[in-house]
Short mmCIF file of all heavy atoms in Angstrom, two decimals:
data_model
loop_
_atom_site.label_atom_id
_atom_site.label_comp_id
_atom_site.label_asym_id
_atom_site.label_seq_id
_atom_site.Cartn_x
_atom_site.Cartn_y
_atom_site.Cartn_z
N LEU A 12 -41.08 17.31 85.70
CA LEU A 12 -40.94 16.79 84.35
C LEU A 12 -41.81 15.53 84.15
O LEU A 12 -42.39 15.34 83.08
CB LEU A 12 -39.46 16.44 84.08
CG LEU A 12 -38.50 17.62 84.03
CD1 LEU A 12 -37.07 17.11 83.86
CD2 LEU A 12 -38.84 18.58 82.89
N ILE A 13 -41.89 14.69 85.20
CA ILE A 13 -42.76 13.51 85.11
C ILE A 13 -44.20 13.90 84.99
O ILE A 13 -44.95 13.39 84.17
CB ILE A 13 -42.55 12.60 86.36
CG1 ILE A 13 -41.12 12.06 86.39
CG2 ILE A 13 -43.54 11.45 86.34
CD1 ILE A 13 -40.77 11.32 87.66
N ALA A 14 -44.62 14.87 85.81
CA ALA A 14 -46.02 15.33 85.80
C ALA A 14 -46.39 15.92 84.45
O ALA A 14 -47.52 15.80 83.98
CB ALA A 14 -46.25 16.34 86.91
N LYS A 15 -45.38 16.55 83.76
CA LYS A 15 -45.63 17.14 82.44
C LYS A 15 -45.44 16.12 81.30
O LYS A 15 -45.61 16.46 80.14
CB LYS A 15 -44.66 18.30 82.18
CG LYS A 15 -44.91 19.51 83.08
CD LYS A 15 -44.14 20.72 82.54
CE LYS A 15 -42.66 20.48 82.49
NZ LYS A 15 -41.89 21.66 82.02
N ARG A 16 -45.09 14.86 81.67
CA ARG A 16 -44.82 13.82 80.67
C ARG A 16 -43.71 14.27 79.69
O ARG A 16 -43.87 14.11 78.48
CB ARG A 16 -46.07 13.41 79.92
CG ARG A 16 -47.15 12.78 80.76
CD ARG A 16 -48.36 12.41 79.91
NE ARG A 16 -47.98 11.41 78.93
CZ ARG A 16 -48.21 10.10 79.06
NH1 ARG A 16 -48.78 9.65 80.16
NH2 ARG A 16 -47.84 9.28 78.10
N ASP A 17 -42.68 14.85 80.24
CA ASP A 17 -41.60 15.35 79.38
C ASP A 17 -40.82 14.19 78.78
O ASP A 17 -41.04 13.02 79.11
CB ASP A 17 -40.66 16.27 80.18
CG ASP A 17 -40.21 17.48 79.36
OD1 ASP A 17 -39.91 17.29 78.18
OD2 ASP A 17 -40.18 18.58 79.92
N SER A 18 -39.86 14.49 77.91
CA SER A 18 -39.14 13.49 77.13
C SER A 18 -38.08 12.77 77.97
O SER A 18 -37.66 13.25 79.03
CB SER A 18 -38.49 14.12 75.92
OG SER A 18 -37.48 15.02 76.32
N VAL A 19 -37.59 11.64 77.41
CA VAL A 19 -36.48 10.90 78.04
C VAL A 19 -35.26 11.78 78.16
O VAL A 19 -34.58 11.79 79.17
CB VAL A 19 -36.18 9.61 77.24
CG1 VAL A 19 -34.89 8.96 77.75
CG2 VAL A 19 -37.32 8.65 77.31
N GLU A 20 -34.97 12.54 77.09
CA GLU A 20 -33.79 13.40 77.09
C GLU A 20 -33.85 14.44 78.19
O GLU A 20 -32.86 14.73 78.83
CB GLU A 20 -33.62 14.07 75.71
CG GLU A 20 -32.69 13.38 74.75
CD GLU A 20 -31.41 12.86 75.40
OE1 GLU A 20 -30.69 13.63 76.07
OE2 GLU A 20 -31.13 11.69 75.22
N ALA A 21 -35.03 15.03 78.36
CA ALA A 21 -35.18 16.07 79.41
C ALA A 21 -34.96 15.46 80.80
O ALA A 21 -34.28 16.05 81.64
CB ALA A 21 -36.56 16.69 79.31
N LEU A 22 -35.50 14.26 81.03
CA LEU A 22 -35.31 13.58 82.29
C LEU A 22 -33.84 13.22 82.52
O LEU A 22 -33.28 13.41 83.61
CB LEU A 22 -36.16 12.31 82.35
CG LEU A 22 -37.66 12.51 82.49
CD1 LEU A 22 -38.41 11.23 82.19
CD2 LEU A 22 -38.01 13.01 83.90
N ARG A 23 -33.18 12.71 81.47
CA ARG A 23 -31.77 12.32 81.58
C ARG A 23 -30.89 13.56 81.86
O ARG A 23 -30.00 13.51 82.74
CB ARG A 23 -31.30 11.62 80.32
CG ARG A 23 -29.82 11.14 80.40
CD ARG A 23 -29.38 10.43 79.16
NE ARG A 23 -30.00 9.13 79.04
CZ ARG A 23 -30.91 8.79 78.13
NH1 ARG A 23 -31.31 9.70 77.24
NH2 ARG A 23 -31.41 7.58 78.07
N THR A 24 -31.15 14.64 81.14
CA THR A 24 -30.36 15.87 81.33
C THR A 24 -30.48 16.39 82.77
O THR A 24 -29.47 16.75 83.40
CB THR A 24 -30.82 16.95 80.35
OG1 THR A 24 -30.62 16.46 79.00
CG2 THR A 24 -30.02 18.23 80.53
N GLU A 25 -31.69 16.38 83.29
CA GLU A 25 -31.91 16.89 84.65
C GLU A 25 -31.27 15.95 85.69
O GLU A 25 -30.68 16.39 86.66
CB GLU A 25 -33.40 17.03 84.94
CG GLU A 25 -33.76 17.55 86.31
CD GLU A 25 -33.14 18.92 86.58
OE1 GLU A 25 -33.03 19.74 85.65
OE2 GLU A 25 -32.79 19.17 87.77
N ALA A 26 -31.39 14.63 85.44
CA ALA A 26 -30.78 13.68 86.38
C ALA A 26 -29.27 13.80 86.41
O ALA A 26 -28.66 13.73 87.48
CB ALA A 26 -31.20 12.25 85.98
N VAL A 27 -28.64 14.00 85.24
CA VAL A 27 -27.18 14.14 85.18
C VAL A 27 -26.77 15.42 85.89
O VAL A 27 -25.75 15.46 86.59
CB VAL A 27 -26.70 14.14 83.69
CG1 VAL A 27 -25.26 14.60 83.60
CG2 VAL A 27 -26.87 12.76 83.09
N LYS A 28 -27.60 16.50 85.77
CA LYS A 28 -27.30 17.74 86.50
C LYS A 28 -27.25 17.52 87.99
O LYS A 28 -26.47 18.17 88.70
CB LYS A 28 -28.38 18.80 86.17
CG LYS A 28 -28.20 19.49 84.84
CD LYS A 28 -29.30 20.53 84.70
CE LYS A 28 -29.29 21.18 83.34
NZ LYS A 28 -30.42 22.14 83.20
N THR A 29 -28.09 16.62 88.48
CA THR A 29 -28.18 16.40 89.92
C THR A 29 -27.19 15.34 90.41
O THR A 29 -27.22 14.92 91.57
CB THR A 29 -29.60 15.98 90.33
OG1 THR A 29 -29.96 14.77 89.63
CG2 THR A 29 -30.59 17.07 89.98
N GLY A 30 -26.31 14.86 89.49
CA GLY A 30 -25.25 13.94 89.90
C GLY A 30 -25.35 12.53 89.41
O GLY A 30 -24.47 11.72 89.74
N MET A 31 -26.38 12.17 88.65
CA MET A 31 -26.50 10.82 88.15
C MET A 31 -25.37 10.52 87.15
O MET A 31 -25.06 11.35 86.29
CB MET A 31 -27.84 10.58 87.44
CG MET A 31 -28.06 9.15 86.97
SD MET A 31 -29.56 8.94 85.98
CE MET A 31 -28.95 9.43 84.33
N ARG A 32 -24.75 9.35 87.29
CA ARG A 32 -23.79 8.87 86.30
C ARG A 32 -24.45 7.75 85.53
O ARG A 32 -25.04 6.85 86.09
CB ARG A 32 -22.51 8.38 86.99
CG ARG A 32 -21.69 9.51 87.63
CD ARG A 32 -21.13 10.46 86.55
NE ARG A 32 -20.45 11.62 87.13
CZ ARG A 32 -21.00 12.83 87.22
NH1 ARG A 32 -22.26 13.00 86.86
NH2 ARG A 32 -20.31 13.83 87.70
N THR A 33 -24.35 7.82 84.18
CA THR A 33 -25.01 6.84 83.34
C THR A 33 -24.34 5.48 83.47
O THR A 33 -23.26 5.33 84.03
CB THR A 33 -24.99 7.29 81.85
OG1 THR A 33 -23.62 7.31 81.42
CG2 THR A 33 -25.60 8.68 81.70
N LEU A 34 -24.98 4.46 82.88
CA LEU A 34 -24.41 3.12 82.88
C LEU A 34 -23.02 3.14 82.24
O LEU A 34 -22.08 2.52 82.76
CB LEU A 34 -25.30 2.16 82.10
CG LEU A 34 -26.59 1.70 82.81
CD1 LEU A 34 -27.55 1.07 81.81
CD2 LEU A 34 -26.26 0.71 83.90
N LEU A 35 -22.89 3.84 81.12
CA LEU A 35 -21.59 3.89 80.45
C LEU A 35 -20.53 4.59 81.30
O LEU A 35 -19.40 4.12 81.41
CB LEU A 35 -21.76 4.64 79.10
CG LEU A 35 -20.49 4.77 78.25
CD1 LEU A 35 -19.91 3.40 77.91
CD2 LEU A 35 -20.79 5.53 76.98
N GLN A 36 -20.93 5.67 81.97
CA GLN A 36 -19.96 6.37 82.83
C GLN A 36 -19.53 5.52 84.02
O GLN A 36 -18.35 5.46 84.37
CB GLN A 36 -20.58 7.68 83.33
CG GLN A 36 -20.71 8.74 82.22
CD GLN A 36 -21.47 9.97 82.71
OE1 GLN A 36 -22.41 9.88 83.49
NE2 GLN A 36 -21.04 11.14 82.25
N ASP A 37 -20.50 4.81 84.62
CA ASP A 37 -20.15 3.95 85.75
C ASP A 37 -19.28 2.80 85.27
O ASP A 37 -18.33 2.38 85.99
CB ASP A 37 -21.41 3.40 86.40
CG ASP A 37 -21.13 2.71 87.73
OD1 ASP A 37 -20.57 3.35 88.62
OD2 ASP A 37 -21.45 1.51 87.85
N GLY A 38 -19.54 2.28 84.06
CA GLY A 38 -18.70 1.22 83.51
C GLY A 38 -17.30 1.69 83.25
O GLY A 38 -16.32 0.97 83.56
N ILE A 39 -17.16 2.88 82.68
CA ILE A 39 -15.81 3.43 82.41
C ILE A 39 -15.05 3.64 83.71
O ILE A 39 -13.85 3.40 83.80
CB ILE A 39 -15.92 4.73 81.61
CG1 ILE A 39 -16.41 4.44 80.18
CG2 ILE A 39 -14.61 5.50 81.60
CD1 ILE A 39 -16.69 5.68 79.36
N ARG A 40 -15.77 4.04 84.76
CA ARG A 40 -15.12 4.22 86.07
C ARG A 40 -14.54 2.87 86.55
O ARG A 40 -13.45 2.80 87.09
CB ARG A 40 -16.11 4.75 87.08
CG ARG A 40 -15.52 4.92 88.47
CD ARG A 40 -16.53 5.52 89.45
NE ARG A 40 -16.81 6.92 89.17
CZ ARG A 40 -17.53 7.70 89.97
NH1 ARG A 40 -18.02 7.20 91.08
NH2 ARG A 40 -17.75 8.95 89.65
N LYS A 41 -15.27 1.80 86.32
CA LYS A 41 -14.80 0.46 86.72
C LYS A 41 -13.65 -0.02 85.84
O LYS A 41 -12.82 -0.81 86.27
CB LYS A 41 -15.96 -0.53 86.72
CG LYS A 41 -16.93 -0.29 87.88
CD LYS A 41 -18.07 -1.27 87.87
CE LYS A 41 -18.88 -1.15 89.17
NZ LYS A 41 -19.54 0.14 89.39
N VAL A 42 -13.60 0.46 84.59
CA VAL A 42 -12.44 0.17 83.72
C VAL A 42 -11.20 0.84 84.30
O VAL A 42 -10.12 0.23 84.41
CB VAL A 42 -12.70 0.65 82.27
CG1 VAL A 42 -11.43 0.57 81.44
CG2 VAL A 42 -13.80 -0.17 81.62
N VAL A 43 -11.34 2.11 84.67
CA VAL A 43 -10.21 2.88 85.22
C VAL A 43 -9.76 2.27 86.55
O VAL A 43 -8.57 2.29 86.88
CB VAL A 43 -10.62 4.37 85.42
CG1 VAL A 43 -9.54 5.14 86.16
CG2 VAL A 43 -10.89 4.99 84.05
N GLU A 44 -10.69 1.69 87.31
CA GLU A 44 -10.34 1.05 88.59
C GLU A 44 -9.68 -0.30 88.39
O GLU A 44 -9.23 -0.91 89.37
CB GLU A 44 -11.62 0.88 89.44
CG GLU A 44 -12.19 2.18 89.95
CD GLU A 44 -13.55 2.02 90.60
OE1 GLU A 44 -14.11 0.88 90.53
OE2 GLU A 44 -14.08 2.98 91.16
N GLY A 45 -9.63 -0.79 87.14
CA GLY A 45 -8.97 -2.04 86.84
C GLY A 45 -9.82 -3.29 87.09
O GLY A 45 -9.31 -4.41 87.15
N ARG A 46 -11.14 -3.12 87.18
CA ARG A 46 -12.02 -4.24 87.45
C ARG A 46 -12.43 -4.98 86.17
O ARG A 46 -12.70 -6.19 86.18
CB ARG A 46 -13.27 -3.79 88.18
CG ARG A 46 -12.99 -3.15 89.54
CD ARG A 46 -14.28 -2.94 90.27
NE ARG A 46 -14.11 -2.26 91.54
CZ ARG A 46 -15.08 -2.13 92.47
NH1 ARG A 46 -16.25 -2.63 92.22
NH2 ARG A 46 -14.81 -1.48 93.57
N THR A 47 -12.55 -4.27 85.06
CA THR A 47 -12.94 -4.87 83.80
C THR A 47 -12.25 -4.11 82.66
O THR A 47 -11.44 -3.20 82.93
CB THR A 47 -14.50 -4.86 83.64
OG1 THR A 47 -14.88 -5.60 82.49
CG2 THR A 47 -15.03 -3.44 83.55
N ASP A 48 -12.57 -4.46 81.42
CA ASP A 48 -11.96 -3.73 80.30
C ASP A 48 -13.03 -3.05 79.45
O ASP A 48 -14.23 -3.34 79.59
CB ASP A 48 -11.07 -4.64 79.44
CG ASP A 48 -11.87 -5.59 78.58
OD1 ASP A 48 -13.03 -5.88 78.91
OD2 ASP A 48 -11.34 -6.08 77.57
N LEU A 49 -12.60 -2.13 78.61
CA LEU A 49 -13.54 -1.29 77.87
C LEU A 49 -14.43 -2.07 76.94
O LEU A 49 -15.61 -1.72 76.76
CB LEU A 49 -12.74 -0.22 77.09
CG LEU A 49 -13.56 0.95 76.52
CD1 LEU A 49 -14.28 1.68 77.64
CD2 LEU A 49 -12.66 1.90 75.75
N LYS A 50 -13.93 -3.16 76.34
CA LYS A 50 -14.76 -3.96 75.42
C LYS A 50 -15.98 -4.52 76.13
O LYS A 50 -17.08 -4.56 75.57
CB LYS A 50 -13.93 -5.09 74.81
CG LYS A 50 -12.92 -4.65 73.79
CD LYS A 50 -12.19 -5.85 73.19
CE LYS A 50 -11.16 -5.40 72.16
NZ LYS A 50 -10.40 -6.55 71.61
N GLN A 51 -15.82 -4.97 77.37
CA GLN A 51 -16.93 -5.49 78.14
C GLN A 51 -17.98 -4.45 78.39
O GLN A 51 -19.19 -4.71 78.28
CB GLN A 51 -16.41 -6.07 79.48
CG GLN A 51 -15.50 -7.25 79.37
CD GLN A 51 -16.22 -8.47 78.79
OE1 GLN A 51 -17.32 -8.78 79.20
NE2 GLN A 51 -15.59 -9.11 77.82
N ILE A 52 -17.53 -3.22 78.71
CA ILE A 52 -18.51 -2.14 78.97
C ILE A 52 -19.27 -1.74 77.72
O ILE A 52 -20.49 -1.59 77.73
CB ILE A 52 -17.76 -0.93 79.57
CG1 ILE A 52 -17.09 -1.31 80.91
CG2 ILE A 52 -18.68 0.26 79.73
CD1 ILE A 52 -18.05 -1.81 81.95
N LEU A 53 -18.52 -1.59 76.60
CA LEU A 53 -19.17 -1.18 75.36
C LEU A 53 -20.11 -2.25 74.83
O LEU A 53 -21.03 -1.97 74.06
CB LEU A 53 -18.12 -0.84 74.30
CG LEU A 53 -17.23 0.35 74.64
CD1 LEU A 53 -16.19 0.57 73.53
CD2 LEU A 53 -18.05 1.63 74.84
N ALA A 54 -19.93 -3.49 75.26
CA ALA A 54 -20.82 -4.60 74.81
C ALA A 54 -22.19 -4.51 75.45
O ALA A 54 -23.15 -5.03 74.89
CB ALA A 54 -20.16 -5.93 75.10
N VAL A 55 -22.30 -3.91 76.62
CA VAL A 55 -23.58 -3.88 77.32
C VAL A 55 -24.14 -2.47 77.52
O VAL A 55 -25.31 -2.34 77.90
CB VAL A 55 -23.48 -4.59 78.70
CG1 VAL A 55 -23.09 -6.02 78.55
CG2 VAL A 55 -22.52 -3.85 79.61
N CYS A 56 -23.34 -1.43 77.29
CA CYS A 56 -23.78 -0.07 77.49
C CYS A 56 -23.72 0.72 76.19
O CYS A 56 -22.70 0.69 75.51
CB CYS A 56 -22.92 0.65 78.54
SG CYS A 56 -22.88 -0.15 80.16
N MET A 57 -24.79 1.42 75.88
CA MET A 57 -24.83 2.21 74.64
C MET A 57 -24.10 3.52 74.87
O MET A 57 -24.12 4.11 75.96
CB MET A 57 -26.24 2.50 74.22
CG MET A 57 -27.05 1.26 73.85
SD MET A 57 -28.72 1.61 73.34
CE MET A 57 -28.45 2.55 71.86
#
């Protein structure tokens, strides 16, 4: 995909398929773990 200069969406979709968790997903996981709250995550992650 990089060699073909494909789009951001194509790269993100493929990365998620291979197990990548986005910033928002990792932040929500830390909310569930009790380390921070959802407002803090939504303030820095789209």
Side-chain angles (χ1 to χ4, degrees):
L12 294 175
I13 296 172
K15 292 193 300 182
R16 296 180 62 99
D17 220 319
S18 66
V19 171
E20 264 318 306
L22 288 166
R23 181 179 289 111
T24 300
E25 181 58 34
V27 168
K28 280 182 186 177
T29 59
M31 183 187 85
R32 292 293 174 260
T33 65
L34 284 165
L35 181 58
Q36 289 174 324
D37 191 58
I39 290 173
R40 179 178 290 189
K41 288 180 170 64
V42 170
V43 173
E44 291 171 353
R46 299 189 184 190
T47 187
D48 73 337
L49 193 59
K50 286 182 181 178
Q51 294 295 314
I52 297 302
L53 296 179
V55 299
C56 301
M57 295 180 65

